[in-house]
Amino acid sequence: MLSKKLEKALNNQIKIEAESSQIYLSMASWAEVKGLEGIAGFMYAQSDEEREHMLKLVKYVNERGGHALVPALKAPKSDFGTFQSMFQELLEHEIFVSQSINELVHVTLQEKDYATHNFLQWYVAEQIEEEALARTILDKINLIGNDKGGLYLFDRDVQQITVDSAAGAGPAI
Ligand code: OFO
């Protein structure tokens, strides 16, 4: 059974994952409208992943005798300036999510809830990968600079950049 304090903290994380999914959906839509099909596809996939992260938490909270609450969300912004700044925002957002997961892990220790501590290790590992992925993409973007041909290739190949490639295992562009 979850303590009230931990249930509240987990519900807060549900909201953060839901917001992440909304933000990335908005990024996908912005990129699609700009004709950046590959970047849009990448962001749609990121959005789906965040929804999965949220669902995993919802099911866990309910399974442990809590009540997962579906949160109200504020609308994300709809203009991201340039694709460079959009990916910078993606990285900053993932750093924020990592901090939030860390705080959540801290609460599990305070509450001596080792099952939830164990459950959250998946998120800890996932955040390392997601931050690495965002940094890998930003490195590629910095290499491209303002080169239009580079952007064309980047947009074509960005969907191939996976978490594995960020870790050095898969295809890189
Ligand atoms: Fe990328 O944030 Fe979920 O965990």
Side-chain angles (χ1 to χ4, degrees):
M1 185 84 183
L2 294 171
S3 72
K4 281 290 158 210
K5 183 175 176 184
L6 191 50
E7 182 180 352
K8 197 169 173 229
L10 287 163
N11 268 310
N12 182 54
Q13 191 62 33
I14 286 171
K15 183 167 191 231
I16 288 175
E17 302 294 342
E19 273 168 357
S20 303
S21 180
Q22 292 282 90
I23 292 167
Y24 299 159
L25 182 59
S26 188
M27 288 180 173
S29 180
W30 178 85
E32 193 161 55
V33 166
K34 297 269 169 210
L36 299 165
E37 298 290 327
I39 293 174
F42 175 86
M43 288 300 179
Y44 279 125
Q46 291 298 115
S47 174
D48 284 349
E49 269 193 34
E50 298 303 344
R51 181 175 159 77
E52 287 297 318
H53 298 170
M54 178 198 67
L55 281 176
K56 221 173 146 86
L57 281 161
V58 165
K59 289 177 183 167
Y60 181 78
V61 168
N62 291 341
E63 195 179 284
R64 292 289 315 280
H67 185 182
L69 304 172
V70 177
L73 302 173
K74 66 173 179 355
K77 67 178 185 179
S78 54
D79 188 350
F80 295 91
T82 63
F83 79 98
Q84 288 95 333
S85 60
M86 186 177 75
F87 277 102
Q88 185 62 41
E89 276 187 47
L90 173 88
L91 173 61
E92 280 160 21
H93 186 73
E94 286 301 330
I95 291 172
F96 159 75
V97 174
S98 299
Q99 283 164 351
S100 160
I101 296 282
N102 277 345
E103 276 160 31
L104 194 50
V105 170
H106 183 67
V107 177
T108 65
L109 293 177
Q110 285 175 329
E111 299 298 291
K112 297 193 169 66
D113 187 329
Y114 300 110
T116 305
H117 185 270
N118 194 32
F119 167 77
L120 288 175
Q121 295 314 302
W122 182 87
Y123 287 85
V124 171
E126 179 73 11
Q127 282 314 117
I128 293 172
E129 289 181 350
E130 293 206 342
E131 280 189 37
L133 176 63
R135 287 198 177 89
T136 300
I137 292 174
L138 280 173
D139 286 347
K140 307 280 179 205
I141 289 173
N142 287 336
L143 284 177
I144 298 167
N146 289 325
D147 181 57
K148 287 259 184 276
L151 171 58
Y152 173 80
L153 293 175
F154 174 78
D155 185 58
R156 192 195 63 180
D157 294 340
V158 69
Q159 282 174 287
Q160 305 295 320
I161 308 180
T162 61
V163 164
D164 283 351
S165 71
I173 61 167

